[in-house]
Structures are given as structure tokens and as C-alpha cells.
């Protein structure tokens, strides 16, 4: 469900909704990394054409791959695909976007096993994986998915995974209008179908699927995906090496308009802001610089949530999901915080690629409304996992204040029993890039008689000028050009800070983009002076401009009065 995705290398934006792209990245897959897969022997699991080889001369692993490939193809042909699809083809004259928020006509036109471009970095093809990887149960939940899209998801898994690694594909039909959408697919080998008797949402549906899964590893997959070559082995390898790793592929983009398969940038990880809005963001520059191996995995503070792999016993031990969350949204934060804070880790494995149709809207209804559901789910997350930092969530999402969210005592108990670390630990160790807002944002006016310090627009060189002008407004409502915020030695107006143009006497003072490390922007209040810290010079007036001069007592042009506005 939903929409979460990175931008593609072609520069297209493909992630509306809660998850925004962090800018397109040309040259996907060209970044390096520090991890090297270890402990692997034997050939890569690529499928040669049977007629090209004498199978008796092959390594046993190749022989096995060829034979399973052939039998899977044979078994698949037993399923009456034509009838399954044609009964739900889009009708002439019908809006192809109406039901699914993507172009169903284009999906219906494509074959269920169409080839897609291998979007991995070329070095991925020579990485070797263990021959004894654990098998997985693939869990796909859906609600009224287009048949052609759902079938292509399933077939891509069967065709592009070593058969021995796919234990089963568990479909959880979350009360779709037509039970046959799911039921008929059970004629395909390994495919099982569970149907909810009422709408439960993604979270409870996934837990239901996980509870019946028999393989040691769970793979959660969205219902409008296509997995790419060798997508599964790199993920299972990471989980096999350390069962507390929760791993995601790079999520490529399947166009919602023409179903073209587009490579996503390989330099992105999951991030968020204080309103718990997911976004794709660039890997921090230091990490990027130290990456020498493009096949190595990328630590990520959060996962997008639609596609990931987790060890089944670890999933259970960690408390599965918060099943009081409804329909969709926010569950990825809850899981991500829980994994990190309770001594696991999250990563994106760049040699695994899975395509996903990113949409601009949810194609289905939320019984309680989209916004309210998202607030309930993220509020539960904040209340259980964010400690005192939840204040910043409420500050960023004031509509969550006072909203009902049910009891979280069970989840709080779970956190205690798992002996998880604090959210402060998470911020310091996993996501130091997330800036903590200033504790209080009191705005003030800076007065000199009847005049006020103000920003005065840009000069011809594009600099934002500072100066003094007649105070505008009264009491609680001042002109925004005359309101200032103090904090961390900065005197700030939105993201612009009061800054000296040079360190010499008489230098003009202007506004520049705030930078905590720039000593030109640091000030302190000393009596009635506003003193620039490193030069020791004082803010002075030369109407209508402001500048710095040696501090001089009783000089009215250096006398400032701070008045709190809010
Ligand atoms: Mn989706």
C-alpha cells in the first residue's frame, strides 16, 4: 500500500505521499562501501540457458538451479493465467487509474514474466553467497490489488529466486471485494492464501501472515513489485551472518503511468523529520567518502517499510508489530526505533533490487480517514519510543495533541522487558544528523529608542541587509522583519543569522545563512551592549545600517533593549 520511494536516476520524482525523495542521483550504484561479503564459495546463482550447456559437466549447484528453473516453469504453466487475468481486464472507456491509482491498462498489457533490466552495480554480479542460505516465507498483504500486478509480483519471486530458498508465498487478502483475486492464485505452487473476514490493515495482516510462516526468515513484500536478478541471496546472506539485522533492498521505481522499470539511486537511506514524515536522504558525506565497495550495505536510521527481510524468531522476540495500529503508516518508525534501540540494526543492501509502483495517492479508503490514522499510528510510536523527545513530535505535528491513540501500556511493557536503549542513545548513535530543535523559541524585538533592528531586503549583490527602522506593530504582533530568535549565540530570523561582514572596526552587519560553526555569527548580550563574541566589538548604528565598533559606554547608538514578543 501507499507510496514511499526514492527518486530514480533519470531524475523522475516517484515518491509522493508521506515519503519524499531526497533528490535524484545520477550515476546510481557507483558509490563504494566498506563491507565485503565473506565466507562464500561456489558460483553465483545465475541461470544459464539449458540448451547452451552440458549439464553433466556442471557444478552440482548449477545443475540444481537449471532443474528447479525448469520445473518451476512447468508448474507455473498449470495455473490458468489467461482466465485469471482476462476476467478482470480494464474495460474499454474505463479510467485506467480509477481503481488502483496507477495505469492498470499498461499493467494488463505486460506479460506476467516480462524481463526487466538488471539495475545492480556491475560488481554485484561477482559477489558470492553461501550455498546454505536459510529459506524464507514471502508474505504479501493486499487489499483490492490489480490482478495483473499481483500476479507479476508473485511470478517475479518464483522466477528470480533460487527455488530452494522460497519456502512459500503467503498472500494475506485484507478483505478485498473479490475473494477469488487471492484464492485462484493458490493453484500456483507454493502460494497460500489467507483472507481476513474484515478490513484489518497492513500491520495486523502482516502479523497474521508471519504467524503461519514456516521458514526461518520472513520476507515482507508489497503487492505491486517486481523483484530483480539475485535479489534474495544478498539479503539472506546478511541475516544469516547476524540474525538481528533487518535488511531492505534498494527499491527501484516502476512507473505508475507506463510500468517502465527505472533504477533508483544507490546513495540514499531512510530518514525523517520530527513530524515522523519519512524521506529518502543522501548518505552523510563522511560515510559516502569512506565507502570503497559499492556492494557493501548501508546503515539506515529507518526503513521505508514496504519491503524487508527479518529473521522470524527475531521478529517474534522483538514483539512483531504494534497490532493496535490501523491500516497503514507509521509502523515503519515503530519497527525501526525498536530494532535499533533493542540492539538490532537496519540496513539497505545495494546488491538487492526490487521494483515497486510508487503512487500519488492511496487507492483505498481509510475507515477513520487517512490523516487521523497516520496520527494515531505515529502518536503511538512517539509515546512508546521517543521519551522526552516526543515533545518535538507534538511541536511539529500539533494536530496530534489530544487525539485518541488507545493504550500503549503493552508496548511500553515490551520495551522494558527487552531492556531497550533510550531515544537519546538512538539520536546520538544512529541518527545524529537529525537536529534537535531549540528548547524554547522566544522571539524578541531589539529596540533602540523608537527604532528596531530589522532585515532590510537584498542589495544588488544579493546580500540580505540588516539595519534599523521605525518599530512596526505593537505588543504581541510585530513585523516579522523585526522579530528575532536568540539561541546558541545566534541572532536568527528563520534560517538567516546576524553576521559581521569582516572582523574589522566599522564592518557592516548583515544576514547570512545560519551556521553554528561560523564565528562571524556569534553574539552575546552584555549589559545593554550586543557584543560580537570573537572580535569583542559591539553592534552599533549608523542609520539606517548597522555595523560593529569598539564598545563605548553611554553611546546611544550602541544601546539596545530586548523585548520579548512571545
Ligand atoms: Mn506500495
Amino acid at each position: 500500500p501507499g507510496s514511499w520511494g526514492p527518486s530514480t536516476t533519470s531524475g523522475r520524482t516517484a515518491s509522493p505521499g508521506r515519503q519524499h525523495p531526497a533528490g535524484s542521483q545520477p550515476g546510481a550504484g557507483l558509490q563504494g562501501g566498506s563491507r565485503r561479503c565473506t565466507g562464500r564459495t561456489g558460483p553465483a546463482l545465475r541461470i544459464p540457458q539449458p540448451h547452451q550447456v552440458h549439464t553433466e559437466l556442471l557444478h552440482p549447484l548449477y545443475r540444481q538451479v537449471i532443474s528447479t528453473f525448469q520445473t518451476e516453469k512447468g508448474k507455473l504453466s498449470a495455473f490458468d493465467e489467461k482466465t485469471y487475468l482476462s476476467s478482470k481486464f480494464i474495460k474499454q472507456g474505463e479510467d485506467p487509474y480509477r481503481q488502483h491509482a496507477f495505469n492498470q491498462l499498461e499493467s494488463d498489457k505486460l506479460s506476467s514474466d516480462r524481463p526487466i533490466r538488471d539495475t545492480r552495480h556491475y560488481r554485484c554480479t561477482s559477489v558470492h553467497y553461501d550455498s546454505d542460505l536459510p529459506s524464507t516465507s514471502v508474505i504479501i498483504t493486499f487489499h483490492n490489488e490489480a490482478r495483473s500486478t499481483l500476479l507479476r509480483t508473485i511470478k517475479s519471486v518464483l522466477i528470480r529466486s533460487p527455488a530452494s530458498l522460497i519456502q512459500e508465498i503467503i498472500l494475506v487478502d485484507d478483505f478485498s471485494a473479490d475473494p477469488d483475486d487471492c484464492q485462484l492464485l493458490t493453484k500456483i505452487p507454493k502460494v497460500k492464501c489467507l483472507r481476513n473476514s474484515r478490513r484489518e490493515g497492513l500491520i495486523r495482516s502482516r502479523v497474521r501472515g508471519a504467524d503461519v510462516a514456516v521458514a526461518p526468515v520472513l520476507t515482507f513484500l508489497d503487492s505491486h513489485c517486481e523483484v530483480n536478478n539475485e535479489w534474495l541471496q544478498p539479503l539472506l546472506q546478511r541475516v544469516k551472518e547476524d540474525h538481528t539485522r533487518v535488511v531492505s533492498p534498494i527499491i527501484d521505481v516502476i512507473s505508475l503511468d507506463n510500468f517502465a522499470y527505472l533504477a533508483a539511486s544507490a546513495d540514499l537511506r531512510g530518514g525523517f523529520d520530527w513530524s515522523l514524515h519519512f524521506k529518502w536522504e543522501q548518505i552523510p558525506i563522511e560515510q559516502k567518502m569512506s565507502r570503497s565497495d559499492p556492494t557493501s550495505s548501508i546503515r539506515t536510521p529507518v526503513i521505508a517499510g514496504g519491503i524487508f527481510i527479518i529473521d522470524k524468531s527475531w521478529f517474534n522476540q522483538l514483539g512483531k508489530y504494534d497490532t493496535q495500529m490501523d491500516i497503514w503508516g507509521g509502523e515503519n518508525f515503530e519497527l525501526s526505533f525498536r530494532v535499533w534501540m533493542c540492539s538490532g540494526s537496519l540496513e539497505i543492501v545495494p546488491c538487492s533490487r526490487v521494483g515497486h509502483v510508487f503512487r500519488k495517492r492511496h487507492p483505498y479508503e481509510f475507515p477513520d480517514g487517512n490523516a487521523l490514522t497516520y496520527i494515531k499510528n505515529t502518536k503511538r510510536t512517539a509515546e512508546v519510543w521517543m521519551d522526552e523527545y516526543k515533545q518535538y513530535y507534538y511541536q511539529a505535528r500539533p494536530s496530534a495533541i489530544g487525539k485518541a491513540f488507545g493504550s500503549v501500556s503493552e508496548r511500553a511493557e515490551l520495551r522494558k522487558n527487552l531492556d531497550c536503549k533510550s531515544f537519546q542513545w538512538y539520536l546520538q548513535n544512529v541518527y545524529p544528523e537529525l537536529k534537535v530543535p531549540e528548547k524554547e523559541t522566544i522571539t524578541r524585538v531589539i529596540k533602540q529608542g523608537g527604532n528596531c533592528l530589522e532585515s532590510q531586503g537584498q542589495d544588488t549583490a544579493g546580500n540580505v541587509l540588516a539595519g534599523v527602522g521605525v518599530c512596526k506593530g505593537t505588543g504581541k504582533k510585530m513585523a516579522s522583519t523585526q522579530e528575532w530568535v536568540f539561541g546558541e549565540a545566534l541572532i536568527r530570523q528563520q534560517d538567516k543569522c546576524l553576521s559581521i561582514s569582516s572582523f574589522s572596526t566599522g564592518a557592516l552587519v548583515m544576514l547570512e545563512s545560519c551556521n553554528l560553526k561560523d564565528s562571524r555569527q556569534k553574539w552575546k548580550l552584555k549589559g545593554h551592549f550586543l557584543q560580537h563574541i570573537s572580535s569583542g566589538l559591539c553592534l552599533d548604528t549608523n542609520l539606517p545600517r548597522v555595523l560593529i565598533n569598539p564598545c563605548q559606554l553611554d553611546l546611544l547608538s550602541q544601546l539596545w533593549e530586548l523585548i520579548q514578543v512571545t
Side-chain angles (χ1 to χ4, degrees):
S3 44
W4 33 270
S7 54
T8 65
T9 48
S10 62
R12 293 178 56 133
T13 292
S15 86
R18 67 167 172 176
Q19 279 128 337
H20 290 294
S24 61
Q25 263 303 291
L30 295 177
Q31 286 301 319
S34 56
R35 180 196 67 96
R36 177 163 288 282
C37 296
T38 54
R40 276 177 299 276
T41 51
L45 291 169
R46 302 173 74 192
I47 298 167
Q49 292 302 303
H51 65 268
Q52 294 171 332
V53 290
H54 298 282
T55 53
E56 68 276 11
L57 300 177
L58 285 172
H59 187 284
L61 197 56
Y62 269 128
R63 253 181 274 155
Q64 186 202 333
V65 168
I66 290 168
S67 82
T68 52
F69 183 63
Q70 286 165 336
T71 41
E72 286 307 319
K73 269 207 133 169
K75 285 189 208 155
L76 271 171
S77 62
F79 166 66
D80 185 2
E81 175 174 320
K82 238 182 168 169
T83 310
Y84 176 76
L85 293 177
S86 60
S87 63
K88 289 288 179 73
F89 275 159
I90 195 115
K91 287 168 195 69
Q92 196 116 47
E94 217 179 304
D95 174 3
Y97 290 87
R98 189 185 59 86
Q99 276 191 68
H100 305 291
F102 57 63
N103 191 339
Q104 192 198 328
L105 188 62
E106 290 298 318
S107 176
D108 290 351
K109 274 198 252 172
L110 291 170
S111 76
S112 63
D113 58 355
R114 64 142 170 184
I116 49 175
R117 189 162 74 84
D118 188 337
T119 50
R120 293 172 297 169
H121 189 277
Y122 72 92
R123 278 170 63 180
C124 292
T125 57
S126 52
V127 176
H128 297 294
Y129 305 103
D130 290 354
S131 54
D132 59 343
L133 291 172
S135 69
T136 186
S137 296
V138 179
I139 297 161
I140 302 173
T141 65
F142 68 94
H143 174 71
N144 290 336
E145 186 56 85
R147 285 188 173 188
S148 56
T149 319
L150 178 60
L151 178 62
R152 205 175 300 111
T153 306
I154 294 166
K155 284 190 77 167
S156 74
V157 170
L158 292 172
I159 290 167
R160 300 202 185 95
S161 318
S164 61
L165 298 184
I166 302 294
Q167 175 80 45
E168 58 189 342
I169 298 177
I170 300 168
L171 303 177
V172 186
D173 169 10
D174 192 12
F175 200 51
S176 300
D178 184 354
D180 277 352
D181 289 354
C182 186
Q183 205 51 55
L184 291 174
L185 292 170
T186 58
K187 298 206 177 81
I188 301 173
K190 298 188 179 178
V191 175
K192 295 163 186 171
C193 170
L194 301 174
R195 178 174 163 85
N196 294 339
S197 53
R198 57 169 191 180
R199 184 94 158 98
E200 297 285 358
L202 165 87
I203 296 114
R204 288 189 290 275
S205 299
R206 279 185 170 178
V207 170
R208 189 176 173 203
D211 283 345
V212 304
V214 296
V217 177
L218 305 173
T219 298
F220 292 106
L221 199 59
D222 216 341
S223 54
H224 30 265
C225 290
E226 281 165 80
V227 301
N228 211 318
N229 290 352
E230 252 188 349
W231 71 291
L232 189 57
Q233 295 94 315
L235 300 173
L236 291 173
Q237 181 74 40
R238 294 296 288 170
V239 172
K240 187 195 169 201
E241 287 166 7
D242 177 349
H243 78 283
T244 68
R245 286 177 188 151
V246 178
V247 298
S248 253
I250 290 182
I251 301 165
D252 286 332
V253 175
I254 300 170
S255 161
L256 80 152
D257 295 314
N258 61 15
F259 276 69
Y261 190 102
L262 308 164
S265 165
D267 294 329
L268 301 179
R269 64 174 195 176
F272 58 93
D273 61 24
W274 286 103
S275 71
L276 295 186
H277 171 94
F278 180 93
K279 57 187 180 184
W280 293 100
E281 61 181 32
Q282 293 288 323
I283 302 167
I285 189 78
E286 318 82 65
Q287 270 180 52
K288 215 160 156 176
M289 304 286 270
S290 66
R291 261 171 83 83
S292 57
D293 179 358
T295 69
S296 69
S297 50
I298 297 160
R299 276 164 52 102
T300 184
V302 286
I303 52 171
I307 306 168
F308 66 93
I309 282 193
I310 184 169
D311 179 271
K312 184 180 155 103
S313 57
W314 178 236
F315 179 73
N316 289 335
Q317 196 187 328
L318 265 186
K320 302 175 185 180
Y321 269 120
D322 177 356
T323 51
Q324 287 187 62
M325 288 187 178
D326 298 325
I327 309 297
W328 180 91
E331 86 290 342
N332 58 323
F333 291 109
E334 197 271 343
L335 179 77
S336 298
F337 297 162
R338 189 151 44 90
V339 167
W340 277 116
M341 289 163 63
C342 312
S343 72
S345 61
L346 292 174
E347 59 186 42
I348 295 167
V349 182
C351 287
S352 176
R353 295 267 184 165
V354 174
H356 170 259
V357 183
F358 292 97
R359 290 180 284 205
K360 295 195 171 77
R361 63 173 172 89
H362 292 280
Y364 46 78
E365 302 259 302
F366 286 66
D368 301 323
N370 183 346
L372 218 56
T373 302
Y374 198 74
I375 283 174
K376 180 188 169 186
N377 293 354
T378 52
K379 185 168 176 174
R380 292 182 65 83
T381 302
E383 286 291 335
V384 176
W385 295 100
M386 290 172 72
D387 304 329
E388 70 272 23
Y389 292 88
K390 71 184 178 190
Q391 63 174 304
Y392 303 117
Y393 163 76
Y394 288 114
Q395 202 172 298
R397 203 179 271 277
S399 54
I401 298 167
K403 288 269 160 48
F405 62 104
S407 164
V408 292
S409 57
E410 263 178 56
R411 300 306 284 183
E413 186 72 15
L414 170 81
R415 177 177 169 182
K416 219 175 98 193
N417 293 339
L418 288 170
D419 199 19
C420 306
K421 299 185 189 79
S422 67
F423 197 74
Q424 185 177 14
W425 174 90
Y426 170 85
L427 285 179
Q428 285 169 352
N429 295 277
V430 180
Y431 201 19
E433 293 79 15
L434 181 65
K435 291 283 163 274
V436 177
E438 284 160 41
K439 286 237 160 44
E440 41 174 3
T441 49
I442 294 168
T443 47
R444 296 184 164 93
V445 288
I446 303 171
K447 279 183 85 171
Q448 191 167 78
N451 286 338
C452 282
L453 184 69
E454 61 179 12
S455 56
Q456 296 182 332
Q458 296 188 331
D459 68 8
T460 48
N463 301 312
V464 180
L465 303 172
V468 287
V470 177
C471 296
K472 302 182 191 87
T474 46
K476 296 219 172 288
K477 266 233 178 308
M478 298 300 294
S480 63
T481 54
Q482 295 182 344
E483 285 187 344
W484 301 90
V485 174
F486 285 68
E488 300 184 276
L490 300 174
I491 301 177
R492 195 163 58 79
Q493 213 164 67
Q494 279 91 49
D495 58 341
K496 294 276 187 288
C497 280
L498 206 63
S499 177
I500 60 170
S501 51
S502 78
F503 284 89
S504 48
T505 295
L508 278 179
V509 173
M510 42 209 357
L511 288 167
E512 291 185 13
S513 291
C514 296
N515 178 355
L516 271 171
K517 291 178 182 144
D518 191 343
S519 64
R520 296 180 306 128
Q521 299 183 358
K522 303 278 183 164
W523 303 84
K524 67 177 181 193
L525 190 63
K526 192 179 170 193
H528 282 290
F529 293 129
L530 271 173
Q531 190 176 32
H532 178 254
I533 293 174
S534 62
S535 69
L537 299 171
C538 277
L539 188 68
D540 201 349
T541 310
N542 185 10
L543 278 169
R545 308 304 317 281
V546 281
L547 60 169
I548 41 168
N549 276 319
C551 305
Q552 235 180 295
L553 278 170
D554 305 318
L555 202 57
L556 286 175
S557 63
Q558 292 185 1
L559 196 69
W560 302 96
E561 191 188 358
L562 271 61
I563 295 166
Q564 193 171 318
V565 180
T566 53

